[in-house]
Amino acid sequence: MENFTLLQNILLGLTLAAPIGPVNVEIIKRGLNSGFRQAFLAGAGAMCADATYVTLIFFGLTSFLNNAIMIEILGVAGSFILMYLGFTGVRDYFRPAAQQADGERRVFKY
């Protein structure tokens, strides 16, 4: 019976870790464009950010952020950040790509 519970917990962990979100997309993009080291550093940075969020919530930041004024400020700031990221993504998409000096195009860089 204990093995079934362990298997359930492993499957639950995999289903929580599997969805592709913006951080995972950035890690994949950095891995393909710049190599393993940059992808690893992006993942480590995301992990540090998550640990910081958990620590701040543990010490009571939630009650501060549930204030109506803070909800409005965070909503407006988040909207501006998302619009900026969307604008820069569209701009970078339409910018001509630089040609490599050696003419060889590789998918993975080491």
Side-chain angles (χ1 to χ4, degrees):
M1 191 68 163
E2 291 178 17
N3 290 337
F4 184 67
T5 305
L6 178 64
L7 181 63
Q8 282 180 330
N9 291 334
I10 290 173
L11 288 175
L12 178 64
L14 287 174
T15 57
L16 290 175
I20 299 294
V23 173
N24 295 3
V25 170
E26 182 64 25
I27 292 170
I28 293 168
K29 186 174 83 171
R30 285 183 187 244
L32 291 174
N33 291 333
S34 302
F36 174 77
R37 180 178 295 157
Q38 292 298 320
F40 180 78
L41 291 174
M47 185 183 66
C48 289
D50 289 342
T52 302
Y53 298 151
V54 168
T55 303
L56 290 174
I57 289 170
F58 179 74
F59 286 114
L61 187 67
T62 305
S63 61
F64 174 70
L65 294 178
N66 281 335
N67 186 357
I69 295 172
M70 284 305 298
I71 291 173
E72 291 294 324
I73 291 171
L74 289 174
V76 170
S79 298
F80 281 123
I81 290 171
L82 287 175
M83 285 188 291
Y84 171 76
L85 290 174
F87 172 74
T88 57
V90 169
R91 184 188 65 200
D92 290 344
Y93 177 78
F94 287 111
R95 183 176 291 166
Q99 295 291 331
Q100 291 183 353
D102 60 353
E104 178 184 341
R105 180 156 170 84
R106 296 176 19 187
V107 175
F108 296 103
K109 298 177 183 176
Y110 295 102

